[in-house]
């Protein structure tokens, strides 16, 4: 009896894989989210400064002003464009550069004499993210060059206390390390919900669900087949993306065990595929399922700790999101991939994912049985 159930689950799962293979839209979606979406998200993070155009008006033509000009270079800024005072407004209006730094005459002389020295920074605030982040960068760079120049000129002694900054797990502070791996984690949850839900709705729209009702299979076998088949597709795609795109194209090192990470991914796939099937039983067609997916994925991705630190959210949100599988998967994935954690560290997340997965599967199975009974 058990052997027959396992064979039914296996054969129904193979049927799901063949149905997915004949769906070019879903195949393109899988290819896109695990290649281009991962690469672009890792290499172009909007919250960081990257190739911001800057122009400089150097009316002082001094050693200090030249030091300031040479301090701006890629990847944070493009090589500075040297312009005249009369070109500032026109260039800002045309959007040719985000920042325009004006160094007035006698700037170095005033600095060395201890007199009030002013420098003007014009910022195009319509480019809000770059303007906010870049203004701080510019101020830090300018003040750093001024302080270093003054110390060398006056021959002052070095401070008795020196601050040594050590960045762990990402010593080069490369944003692609975080962006690439986090995107893999987010895409696993997103794609598993879409594939499992779309598989059920596709059968309902094509009329093949009625064929299953007359076969000697149970709702649990049908649902388990969808869970393992769609979960396997996402797991294989994620493994290829992690090794080819993240580790290969982006050159991001992985600190921990990939086997342990994908074991956690299998648990979260069990939960999210069950959630996708539950949503598909509520939606009547694919457009409705798409709307439900948007309403579900947005809070899952934004409030699970993958985009912003989980600890910075309100306590009420943190409490509610403990019931989301993605919250524990983000913690698990970050601990393993970034910090090289073992099972002794991430076992609470494994346990939480197991419980959440069983609860979601039970709810989805009950809803699935009810839906099938209505169709019968």
């Amino acid at each position: 009896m058990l052997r027959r159930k396992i064979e039914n689950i296996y054969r129904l799962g193979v049927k799901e894989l063949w149905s997915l293979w004949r769906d070019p839209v879903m195949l393109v979606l899988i290819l896109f989210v695990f290649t281009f979406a991962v690469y672009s998200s890792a290499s172009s993070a909007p919250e960081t400064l990257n190739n911001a155009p800057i122009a400089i008006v150097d009316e002082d033509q001094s050693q200090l002003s030249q030091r300031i000009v040479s301090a701006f270079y890629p990847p944070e800024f493009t090589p500075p464009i040297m312009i005249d005072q009369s070109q500032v407004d026109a260039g800002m209006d045309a959007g040719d550069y985000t920042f325009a730094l004006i160094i007035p005459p006698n700037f170095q002389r005033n600095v060395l004499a201890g007199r009030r020295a002013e420098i003007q920074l014009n910022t195009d605030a319509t480019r809000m993210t770059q303007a906010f982040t870049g203004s701080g960068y510019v101020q830090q760079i300018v003040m750093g060059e001024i302080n270093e120049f003054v110390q060398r000129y006056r021959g002052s002694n070095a401070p008795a206390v020196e601050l040594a900054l050590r960045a762990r797990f990402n010593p080069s502070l490369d944003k692609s390390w975080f962006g690439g791996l986090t995107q893999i984690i987010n895409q696993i949850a997103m794609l598993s919900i879409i594939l499992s839900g779309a598989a059920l709705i596709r059968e309902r729209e094509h009329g093949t669900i009625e064929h299953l009702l007359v076969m000697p299979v149970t709702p649990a076998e049908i649902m388990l087949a969808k869970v393992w088949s769609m979960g396997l597709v996402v797991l294989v795609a994620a493994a290829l993306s992690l090794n080819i795109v993240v580790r290969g194209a982006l050159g991001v090192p992985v600190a921990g065990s990939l086997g342990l990470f994908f074991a956690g991914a299998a648990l979260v796939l069990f939960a999210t595929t069950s959630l996708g099937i539950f949503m598909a039983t509520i939606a009547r067609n694919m457009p409705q399922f798409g709307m439900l997916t948007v309403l579900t994925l947005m809070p899952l991705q934004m409030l699970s700790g993958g985009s912003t630190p989980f600890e910075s959210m309100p306590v009420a949100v943190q409490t509610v999101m403990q019931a989301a599988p993605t919250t524990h998967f983000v913690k698990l994935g970050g601990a393993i991939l970034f910090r090289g954690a073992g099972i002794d560290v991430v076992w609470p997340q494994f346990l939480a994912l197991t419980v959440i997965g069983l609860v979601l599967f039970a709810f989805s199975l009950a809803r699935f049985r009810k839906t099938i009974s209505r169709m019968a």
Side-chain angles (χ1 to χ4, degrees):
M1 187 67 178
L2 179 60
R3 180 179 178 182
R4 178 176 297 179
K5 288 182 176 293
I6 294 176
E7 289 179 351
N8 289 340
I9 294 172
Y10 170 74
R11 289 169 181 169
L12 289 172
V14 172
K15 177 190 73 68
E16 294 293 339
L17 293 177
W18 278 111
S19 297
L20 179 62
W21 180 253
R22 291 191 292 268
D23 191 339
V25 175
M26 285 298 175
L27 293 178
V28 171
L29 176 64
I30 295 172
L31 181 64
F32 173 81
V33 299
F34 279 116
T35 54
F36 180 78
V38 171
Y39 186 87
S40 61
S41 176
S43 57
S44 58
E47 67 274 5
T48 59
L49 196 66
N50 185 46
N51 287 330
I54 182 171
I56 297 179
V57 179
D58 185 6
E59 297 182 334
D60 192 31
Q61 296 295 325
S62 63
Q63 184 180 0
L64 177 56
S65 66
Q66 292 301 315
R67 285 176 59 97
I68 294 175
V69 171
S70 62
F72 295 94
Y73 48 80
E76 286 82 11
F77 297 92
T78 59
I81 303 172
M82 305 306 298
I83 61 175
D84 297 328
Q85 177 77 41
S86 60
Q87 299 174 284
V88 173
D89 291 340
M92 296 289 288
D93 292 342
D96 294 336
Y97 28 81
T98 305
F99 304 99
L101 187 68
I102 302 176
I103 305 175
N106 301 321
F107 178 70
Q108 176 179 310
R109 182 182 302 175
N110 292 332
V111 168
L112 294 178
R115 293 191 294 267
R116 181 181 180 88
E118 295 182 350
I119 192 169
Q120 185 182 92
L121 175 63
N122 298 276
T123 304
D124 181 1
T126 60
R127 302 172 180 177
M128 187 176 64
T129 304
Q130 278 198 341
F132 180 78
T133 306
S135 296
Y137 271 61
V138 173
Q139 294 178 42
Q140 184 178 2
I141 291 172
V142 171
M143 292 306 301
E145 293 297 327
I146 292 175
N147 291 334
E148 184 177 352
F149 179 79
V150 171
Q151 287 180 2
R152 288 186 177 182
Y153 183 84
R154 294 178 178 174
S156 58
N157 295 328
V161 178
E162 181 180 358
L163 178 64
L165 176 64
R166 294 184 176 91
R168 299 191 62 185
F169 313 120
N170 186 3
S172 60
L173 301 179
D174 189 346
K175 63 181 183 297
S176 66
W177 287 26
F178 175 81
L181 295 176
T182 303
Q183 194 69 9
I184 290 285
I185 294 172
N186 289 336
Q187 302 295 20
I188 287 176
M190 181 193 74
L191 202 59
S192 58
I193 292 176
I194 294 176
L195 289 182
S196 58
L200 179 58
I201 293 182
R202 183 171 53 241
E203 285 189 338
R204 186 189 305 164
E205 291 180 345
H206 294 173
T208 55
I209 190 69
E210 287 80 2
H211 297 169
L212 295 176
L213 296 178
V214 298
M215 294 176 62
V217 293
T218 64
E221 293 171 358
I222 298 173
M223 187 168 166
L224 283 172
K226 296 183 184 298
V227 168
W228 83 256
S229 58
M230 297 300 101
L232 178 63
V233 170
V234 176
L235 207 60
V236 171
L240 293 175
S241 178
L242 184 60
N243 285 282
I244 297 175
V245 179
V246 177
R247 301 177 70 184
L250 294 172
V252 179
V254 174
S257 168
L258 290 180
L260 186 62
F261 170 74
F262 285 113
L267 286 177
V268 79
L269 285 170
F270 177 64
T272 52
T273 50
S274 300
L275 178 60
I277 293 174
F278 179 80
M279 292 165 54
T281 59
I282 298 176
R284 296 182 179 180
N285 48 47
M286 193 65 77
Q288 285 188 4
F289 176 72
M291 294 299 297
L292 282 176
T293 301
V294 172
L295 294 176
T296 304
L297 287 177
M298 289 298 290
L300 285 181
Q301 292 190 353
M302 295 181 64
L303 303 178
S304 295
S307 302
T308 56
F310 190 72
E311 294 77 13
S312 64
M313 301 178 190
V315 177
V317 174
Q318 295 185 37
T319 303
V320 171
M321 291 304 295
Q322 292 296 331
T326 50
T327 300
H328 304 282
F329 187 45
V330 168
K331 293 181 180 178
L332 175 152
I336 296 174
L337 298 178
F338 290 119
R339 299 186 290 276
I343 189 63
D344 58 320
V345 175
V346 298
W347 70 265
Q349 284 75 43
F350 273 77
L351 179 60
L353 285 174
T354 302
V355 173
I356 294 173
L358 291 174
V359 171
L360 286 175
F361 183 84
F363 274 107
S364 301
L365 182 58
R367 176 73 186 181
F368 187 51
R369 283 173 173 163
K370 185 177 180 181
T371 304
I372 287 182
S373 63
R374 288 177 180 175
M375 297 182 65

mmCIF file of all heavy atoms in Angstrom, residues 3-36:
data_model
loop_
_atom_site.group_PDB
_atom_site.id
_atom_site.type_symbol
_atom_site.label_atom_id
_atom_site.label_comp_id
_atom_site.label_asym_id
_atom_site.label_seq_id
_atom_site.Cartn_x
_atom_site.Cartn_y
_atom_site.Cartn_z
ATOM 1 N N ARG A 3 3.986 1.422 -0.888
ATOM 2 C CA ARG A 3 4.746 1.470 -2.137
ATOM 3 C C ARG A 3 3.915 2.064 -3.262
ATOM 4 O O ARG A 3 4.414 2.841 -4.078
ATOM 5 C CB ARG A 3 5.226 0.068 -2.497
ATOM 6 C CG ARG A 3 6.036 0.014 -3.778
ATOM 7 C CD ARG A 3 6.487 -1.395 -4.063
ATOM 8 N NE ARG A 3 7.226 -1.452 -5.325
ATOM 9 C CZ ARG A 3 7.708 -2.589 -5.845
ATOM 10 N NH1 ARG A 3 7.543 -3.743 -5.197
ATOM 11 N NH2 ARG A 3 8.355 -2.562 -6.984
ATOM 12 N N ARG A 4 2.620 1.693 -3.309
ATOM 13 C CA ARG A 4 1.747 2.231 -4.365
ATOM 14 C C ARG A 4 1.579 3.736 -4.207
ATOM 15 O O ARG A 4 1.574 4.481 -5.198
ATOM 16 C CB ARG A 4 0.393 1.538 -4.312
ATOM 17 C CG ARG A 4 -0.606 2.058 -5.345
ATOM 18 C CD ARG A 4 -1.886 1.270 -5.324
ATOM 19 N NE ARG A 4 -1.661 -0.125 -5.691
ATOM 20 C CZ ARG A 4 -2.638 -1.047 -5.727
ATOM 21 N NH1 ARG A 4 -3.876 -0.707 -5.392
ATOM 22 N NH2 ARG A 4 -2.355 -2.284 -6.076
ATOM 23 N N LYS A 5 1.444 4.193 -2.965
ATOM 24 C CA LYS A 5 1.307 5.634 -2.743
ATOM 25 C C LYS A 5 2.558 6.388 -3.207
ATOM 26 O O LYS A 5 2.474 7.439 -3.828
ATOM 27 C CB LYS A 5 1.044 5.906 -1.258
ATOM 28 C CG LYS A 5 -0.345 5.512 -0.779
ATOM 29 C CD LYS A 5 -0.515 5.863 0.676
ATOM 30 C CE LYS A 5 -1.918 5.570 1.145
ATOM 31 N NZ LYS A 5 -2.923 6.457 0.491
ATOM 32 N N ILE A 6 3.722 5.814 -2.891
ATOM 33 C CA ILE A 6 4.973 6.453 -3.306
ATOM 34 C C ILE A 6 5.079 6.485 -4.826
ATOM 35 O O ILE A 6 5.510 7.488 -5.418
ATOM 36 C CB ILE A 6 6.172 5.715 -2.681
ATOM 37 C CG1 ILE A 6 6.153 5.879 -1.156
ATOM 38 C CG2 ILE A 6 7.485 6.263 -3.244
ATOM 39 C CD1 ILE A 6 7.231 5.102 -0.451
ATOM 40 N N GLU A 7 4.687 5.392 -5.488
ATOM 41 C CA GLU A 7 4.714 5.352 -6.953
ATOM 42 C C GLU A 7 3.757 6.380 -7.551
ATOM 43 O O GLU A 7 4.077 7.051 -8.538
ATOM 44 C CB GLU A 7 4.355 3.951 -7.445
ATOM 45 C CG GLU A 7 5.438 2.904 -7.180
ATOM 46 C CD GLU A 7 5.026 1.528 -7.657
ATOM 47 O OE1 GLU A 7 3.831 1.363 -8.036
ATOM 48 O OE2 GLU A 7 5.880 0.618 -7.650
ATOM 49 N N ASN A 8 2.567 6.529 -6.931
ATOM 50 C CA ASN A 8 1.611 7.531 -7.423
ATOM 51 C C ASN A 8 2.173 8.947 -7.287
ATOM 52 O O ASN A 8 2.053 9.762 -8.202
ATOM 53 C CB ASN A 8 0.299 7.413 -6.652
ATOM 54 C CG ASN A 8 -0.491 6.169 -6.996
ATOM 55 O OD1 ASN A 8 -0.275 5.559 -8.046
ATOM 56 N ND2 ASN A 8 -1.389 5.767 -6.111
ATOM 57 N N ILE A 9 2.782 9.219 -6.133
ATOM 58 C CA ILE A 9 3.367 10.540 -5.917
ATOM 59 C C ILE A 9 4.493 10.802 -6.908
ATOM 60 O O ILE A 9 4.606 11.898 -7.471
ATOM 61 C CB ILE A 9 3.879 10.661 -4.464
ATOM 62 C CG1 ILE A 9 2.708 10.604 -3.483
ATOM 63 C CG2 ILE A 9 4.669 11.957 -4.273
ATOM 64 C CD1 ILE A 9 3.130 10.519 -2.028
ATOM 65 N N TYR A 10 5.302 9.779 -7.168
ATOM 66 C CA TYR A 10 6.409 9.938 -8.113
ATOM 67 C C TYR A 10 5.888 10.183 -9.532
ATOM 68 O O TYR A 10 6.357 11.108 -10.221
ATOM 69 C CB TYR A 10 7.294 8.689 -8.080
ATOM 70 C CG TYR A 10 8.320 8.653 -9.188
ATOM 71 C CD1 TYR A 10 9.443 9.465 -9.158
ATOM 72 C CD2 TYR A 10 8.138 7.807 -10.288
ATOM 73 C CE1 TYR A 10 10.367 9.442 -10.177
ATOM 74 C CE2 TYR A 10 9.063 7.777 -11.312
ATOM 75 C CZ TYR A 10 10.177 8.590 -11.257
ATOM 76 O OH TYR A 10 11.086 8.565 -12.276
ATOM 77 N N ARG A 11 4.937 9.386 -9.974
ATOM 78 C CA ARG A 11 4.434 9.511 -11.353
ATOM 79 C C ARG A 11 3.672 10.820 -11.553
ATOM 80 O O ARG A 11 3.795 11.455 -12.611
ATOM 81 C CB ARG A 11 3.542 8.319 -11.674
ATOM 82 C CG ARG A 11 4.319 7.017 -11.826
ATOM 83 C CD ARG A 11 3.416 5.820 -11.886
ATOM 84 N NE ARG A 11 4.189 4.581 -12.001
ATOM 85 C CZ ARG A 11 3.674 3.353 -11.869
ATOM 86 N NH1 ARG A 11 2.374 3.226 -11.610
ATOM 87 N NH2 ARG A 11 4.446 2.281 -11.987
ATOM 88 N N LEU A 12 2.895 11.214 -10.563
ATOM 89 C CA LEU A 12 2.209 12.498 -10.681
ATOM 90 C C LEU A 12 3.207 13.649 -10.703
ATOM 91 O O LEU A 12 3.006 14.650 -11.396
ATOM 92 C CB LEU A 12 1.228 12.670 -9.518
ATOM 93 C CG LEU A 12 -0.029 11.795 -9.544
ATOM 94 C CD1 LEU A 12 -0.805 11.940 -8.246
ATOM 95 C CD2 LEU A 12 -0.904 12.151 -10.734
ATOM 96 N N GLY A 13 4.289 13.525 -9.940
ATOM 97 C CA GLY A 13 5.321 14.552 -9.964
ATOM 98 C C GLY A 13 6.016 14.646 -11.301
ATOM 99 O O GLY A 13 6.314 15.741 -11.791
ATOM 100 N N VAL A 14 6.275 13.477 -11.924
ATOM 101 C CA VAL A 14 6.880 13.475 -13.256
ATOM 102 C C VAL A 14 5.943 14.142 -14.256
ATOM 103 O O VAL A 14 6.381 14.881 -15.150
ATOM 104 C CB VAL A 14 7.220 12.037 -13.678
ATOM 105 C CG1 VAL A 14 7.678 12.004 -15.136
ATOM 106 C CG2 VAL A 14 8.296 11.457 -12.766
ATOM 107 N N LYS A 15 4.635 13.904 -14.096
ATOM 108 C CA LYS A 15 3.655 14.562 -14.967
ATOM 109 C C LYS A 15 3.732 16.082 -14.822
ATOM 110 O O LYS A 15 3.643 16.827 -15.813
ATOM 111 C CB LYS A 15 2.245 14.068 -14.626
ATOM 112 C CG LYS A 15 1.140 14.760 -15.437
ATOM 113 C CD LYS A 15 -0.214 14.431 -14.900
ATOM 114 C CE LYS A 15 -0.473 15.141 -13.593
ATOM 115 N NZ LYS A 15 -0.601 16.607 -13.779
ATOM 116 N N GLU A 16 3.928 16.555 -13.579
ATOM 117 C CA GLU A 16 4.039 17.996 -13.349
ATOM 118 C C GLU A 16 5.289 18.559 -14.032
ATOM 119 O O GLU A 16 5.262 19.656 -14.589
ATOM 120 C CB GLU A 16 4.090 18.282 -11.844
ATOM 121 C CG GLU A 16 2.817 17.934 -11.090
ATOM 122 C CD GLU A 16 1.651 18.804 -11.480
ATOM 123 O OE1 GLU A 16 1.871 19.903 -12.021
ATOM 124 O OE2 GLU A 16 0.504 18.375 -11.251
ATOM 125 N N LEU A 17 6.364 17.785 -13.990
ATOM 126 C CA LEU A 17 7.595 18.245 -14.630
ATOM 127 C C LEU A 17 7.423 18.338 -16.142
ATOM 128 O O LEU A 17 7.919 19.293 -16.770
ATOM 129 C CB LEU A 17 8.743 17.295 -14.280
ATOM 130 C CG LEU A 17 9.171 17.274 -12.801
ATOM 131 C CD1 LEU A 17 10.257 16.230 -12.581
ATOM 132 C CD2 LEU A 17 9.660 18.644 -12.359
ATOM 133 N N TRP A 18 6.756 17.367 -16.734
ATOM 134 C CA TRP A 18 6.509 17.422 -18.178
ATOM 135 C C TRP A 18 5.592 18.597 -18.531
ATOM 136 O O TRP A 18 5.769 19.259 -19.564
ATOM 137 C CB TRP A 18 5.897 16.124 -18.674
ATOM 138 C CG TRP A 18 6.901 15.049 -18.919
ATOM 139 C CD1 TRP A 18 7.068 13.897 -18.219
ATOM 140 C CD2 TRP A 18 7.900 15.024 -19.947
ATOM 141 N NE1 TRP A 18 8.112 13.153 -18.735
ATOM 142 C CE2 TRP A 18 8.642 13.822 -19.804
ATOM 143 C CE3 TRP A 18 8.257 15.898 -20.975
ATOM 144 C CZ2 TRP A 18 9.690 13.486 -20.643
ATOM 145 C CZ3 TRP A 18 9.301 15.556 -21.814
ATOM 146 C CH2 TRP A 18 10.004 14.375 -21.641
ATOM 147 N N SER A 19 4.603 18.872 -17.672
ATOM 148 C CA SER A 19 3.709 20.013 -17.927
ATOM 149 C C SER A 19 4.483 21.321 -17.863
ATOM 150 O O SER A 19 4.266 22.231 -18.675
ATOM 151 C CB SER A 19 2.577 20.028 -16.896
ATOM 152 O OG SER A 19 1.775 18.860 -17.002
ATOM 153 N N LEU A 20 5.402 21.410 -16.900
ATOM 154 C CA LEU A 20 6.227 22.615 -16.809
ATOM 155 C C LEU A 20 7.151 22.739 -18.006
ATOM 156 O O LEU A 20 7.376 23.853 -18.516
ATOM 157 C CB LEU A 20 7.047 22.572 -15.512
ATOM 158 C CG LEU A 20 7.998 23.747 -15.262
ATOM 159 C CD1 LEU A 20 7.228 25.054 -15.149
ATOM 160 C CD2 LEU A 20 8.823 23.518 -14.011
ATOM 161 N N TRP A 21 7.695 21.633 -18.484
ATOM 162 C CA TRP A 21 8.590 21.657 -19.639
ATOM 163 C C TRP A 21 7.883 22.168 -20.892
ATOM 164 O O TRP A 21 8.510 22.775 -21.761
ATOM 165 C CB TRP A 21 9.155 20.262 -19.868
ATOM 166 C CG TRP A 21 10.097 20.167 -21.025
ATOM 167 C CD1 TRP A 21 9.876 19.588 -22.239
ATOM 168 C CD2 TRP A 21 11.443 20.680 -21.079
ATOM 169 N NE1 TRP A 21 10.980 19.705 -23.041
ATOM 170 C CE2 TRP A 21 11.953 20.367 -22.358
ATOM 171 C CE3 TRP A 21 12.241 21.363 -20.167
ATOM 172 C CZ2 TRP A 21 13.240 20.726 -22.742
ATOM 173 C CZ3 TRP A 21 13.524 21.726 -20.550
ATOM 174 C CH2 TRP A 21 14.006 21.401 -21.831
ATOM 175 N N ARG A 22 6.567 21.937 -20.975
ATOM 176 C CA ARG A 22 5.802 22.391 -22.143
ATOM 177 C C ARG A 22 5.212 23.787 -21.943
ATOM 178 O O ARG A 22 4.408 24.238 -22.753
ATOM 179 C CB ARG A 22 4.669 21.396 -22.439
ATOM 180 C CG ARG A 22 5.166 20.050 -22.949
ATOM 181 C CD ARG A 22 4.014 19.206 -23.474
ATOM 182 N NE ARG A 22 3.118 18.797 -22.398
ATOM 183 C CZ ARG A 22 3.227 17.661 -21.721
ATOM 184 N NH1 ARG A 22 4.213 16.814 -22.013
ATOM 185 N NH2 ARG A 22 2.374 17.358 -20.766
ATOM 186 N N ASP A 23 5.597 24.458 -20.863
ATOM 187 C CA ASP A 23 5.113 25.817 -20.593
ATOM 188 C C ASP A 23 6.284 26.785 -20.775
ATOM 189 O O ASP A 23 7.070 27.020 -19.853
ATOM 190 C CB ASP A 23 4.564 25.906 -19.166
ATOM 191 C CG ASP A 23 3.804 27.206 -18.916
ATOM 192 O OD1 ASP A 23 4.033 28.180 -19.668
ATOM 193 O OD2 ASP A 23 2.998 27.262 -17.980
ATOM 194 N N PRO A 24 6.450 27.383 -21.961
ATOM 195 C CA PRO A 24 7.616 28.244 -22.215
ATOM 196 C C PRO A 24 7.640 29.491 -21.340
ATOM 197 O O PRO A 24 8.713 29.991 -20.999
ATOM 198 C CB PRO A 24 7.483 28.602 -23.702
ATOM 199 C CG PRO A 24 6.042 28.397 -24.021
ATOM 200 C CD PRO A 24 5.566 27.293 -23.145
ATOM 201 N N VAL A 25 6.476 30.003 -20.957
ATOM 202 C CA VAL A 25 6.439 31.218 -20.139
ATOM 203 C C VAL A 25 7.082 30.955 -18.777
ATOM 204 O O VAL A 25 7.899 31.748 -18.283
ATOM 205 C CB VAL A 25 4.988 31.711 -19.972
ATOM 206 C CG1 VAL A 25 4.943 32.906 -19.027
ATOM 207 C CG2 VAL A 25 4.396 32.087 -21.321
ATOM 208 N N MET A 26 6.727 29.848 -18.167
ATOM 209 C CA MET A 26 7.300 29.518 -16.869
ATOM 210 C C MET A 26 8.793 29.215 -16.978
ATOM 211 O O MET A 26 9.575 29.561 -16.084
ATOM 212 C CB MET A 26 6.564 28.323 -16.258
ATOM 213 C CG MET A 26 5.199 28.670 -15.723
ATOM 214 S SD MET A 26 5.300 29.894 -14.387
ATOM 215 C CE MET A 26 3.562 30.205 -14.091
ATOM 216 N N LEU A 27 9.204 28.590 -18.036
ATOM 217 C CA LEU A 27 10.627 28.291 -18.226
ATOM 218 C C LEU A 27 11.438 29.587 -18.361
ATOM 219 O O LEU A 27 12.539 29.703 -17.806
ATOM 220 C CB LEU A 27 10.822 27.410 -19.456
ATOM 221 C CG LEU A 27 10.263 25.985 -19.362
ATOM 222 C CD1 LEU A 27 10.486 25.242 -20.673
ATOM 223 C CD2 LEU A 27 10.906 25.220 -18.210
ATOM 224 N N VAL A 28 10.890 30.538 -19.106
ATOM 225 C CA VAL A 28 11.572 31.827 -19.244
ATOM 226 C C VAL A 28 11.628 32.546 -17.903
ATOM 227 O O VAL A 28 12.645 33.172 -17.552
ATOM 228 C CB VAL A 28 10.861 32.693 -20.301
ATOM 229 C CG1 VAL A 28 11.418 34.113 -20.305
ATOM 230 C CG2 VAL A 28 11.020 32.081 -21.684
ATOM 231 N N LEU A 29 10.549 32.446 -17.126
ATOM 232 C CA LEU A 29 10.525 33.076 -15.804
ATOM 233 C C LEU A 29 11.598 32.487 -14.895
ATOM 234 O O LEU A 29 12.316 33.220 -14.207
ATOM 235 C CB LEU A 29 9.148 32.901 -15.170
ATOM 236 C CG LEU A 29 9.000 33.424 -13.733
ATOM 237 C CD1 LEU A 29 9.196 34.928 -13.690
ATOM 238 C CD2 LEU A 29 7.639 33.037 -13.158
ATOM 239 N N ILE A 30 11.722 31.165 -14.899
ATOM 240 C CA ILE A 30 12.738 30.509 -14.069
ATOM 241 C C ILE A 30 14.132 30.965 -14.494
ATOM 242 O O ILE A 30 14.983 31.285 -13.656
ATOM 243 C CB ILE A 30 12.605 28.982 -14.184
ATOM 244 C CG1 ILE A 30 11.268 28.514 -13.603
ATOM 245 C CG2 ILE A 30 13.756 28.281 -13.460
ATOM 246 C CD1 ILE A 30 10.983 27.049 -13.848
ATOM 247 N N LEU A 31 14.366 30.980 -15.802
ATOM 248 C CA LEU A 31 15.671 31.394 -16.305
ATOM 249 C C LEU A 31 15.970 32.841 -15.945
ATOM 250 O O LEU A 31 17.096 33.180 -15.539
ATOM 251 C CB LEU A 31 15.713 31.208 -17.823
ATOM 252 C CG LEU A 31 17.027 31.583 -18.521
ATOM 253 C CD1 LEU A 31 18.155 30.675 -18.055
ATOM 254 C CD2 LEU A 31 16.861 31.499 -20.040
ATOM 255 N N PHE A 32 14.973 33.695 -16.050
ATOM 256 C CA PHE A 32 15.183 35.118 -15.793
ATOM 257 C C PHE A 32 15.503 35.390 -14.321
ATOM 258 O O PHE A 32 16.464 36.092 -14.000
ATOM 259 C CB PHE A 32 13.939 35.910 -16.214
ATOM 260 C CG PHE A 32 13.985 37.359 -15.834
ATOM 261 C CD1 PHE A 32 14.683 38.274 -16.596
ATOM 262 C CD2 PHE A 32 13.325 37.814 -14.688
ATOM 263 C CE1 PHE A 32 14.735 39.615 -16.245
ATOM 264 C CE2 PHE A 32 13.369 39.147 -14.324
ATOM 265 C CZ PHE A 32 14.071 40.044 -15.109
ATOM 266 N N VAL A 33 14.685 34.848 -13.411
ATOM 267 C CA VAL A 33 14.836 35.206 -11.999
ATOM 268 C C VAL A 33 16.121 34.655 -11.395
ATOM 269 O O VAL A 33 16.655 35.230 -10.431
ATOM 270 C CB VAL A 33 13.620 34.735 -11.169
ATOM 271 C CG1 VAL A 33 12.353 35.380 -11.648
ATOM 272 C CG2 VAL A 33 13.494 33.219 -11.171
ATOM 273 N N PHE A 34 16.650 33.563 -11.956
ATOM 274 C CA PHE A 34 17.862 32.987 -11.384
ATOM 275 C C PHE A 34 19.125 33.347 -12.159
ATOM 276 O O PHE A 34 20.204 32.869 -11.817
ATOM 277 C CB PHE A 34 17.737 31.466 -11.287
ATOM 278 C CG PHE A 34 16.949 31.015 -10.089
ATOM 279 C CD1 PHE A 34 15.748 30.353 -10.248
ATOM 280 C CD2 PHE A 34 17.404 31.268 -8.813
ATOM 281 C CE1 PHE A 34 15.016 29.937 -9.148
ATOM 282 C CE2 PHE A 34 16.683 30.862 -7.708
ATOM 283 C CZ PHE A 34 15.482 30.198 -7.870
ATOM 284 N N THR A 35 19.000 34.181 -13.188
ATOM 285 C CA THR A 35 20.187 34.636 -13.915
ATOM 286 C C THR A 35 20.242 36.167 -13.916
ATOM 287 O O THR A 35 20.958 36.765 -13.116
ATOM 288 C CB THR A 35 20.186 34.100 -15.352
ATOM 289 O OG1 THR A 35 18.940 34.444 -16.006
ATOM 290 C CG2 THR A 35 20.354 32.590 -15.361
ATOM 291 N N PHE A 36 19.485 36.776 -14.800
ATOM 292 C CA PHE A 36 19.543 38.227 -14.950
ATOM 293 C C PHE A 36 19.105 38.953 -13.687
ATOM 294 O O PHE A 36 19.733 39.938 -13.274
ATOM 295 C CB PHE A 36 18.673 38.671 -16.130
ATOM 296 C CG PHE A 36 18.682 40.162 -16.363
ATOM 297 C CD1 PHE A 36 19.749 40.769 -17.006
ATOM 298 C CD2 PHE A 36 17.637 40.953 -15.914
ATOM 299 C CE1 PHE A 36 19.765 42.138 -17.206
ATOM 300 C CE2 PHE A 36 17.641 42.317 -16.114
ATOM 301 C CZ PHE A 36 18.712 42.914 -16.762
#
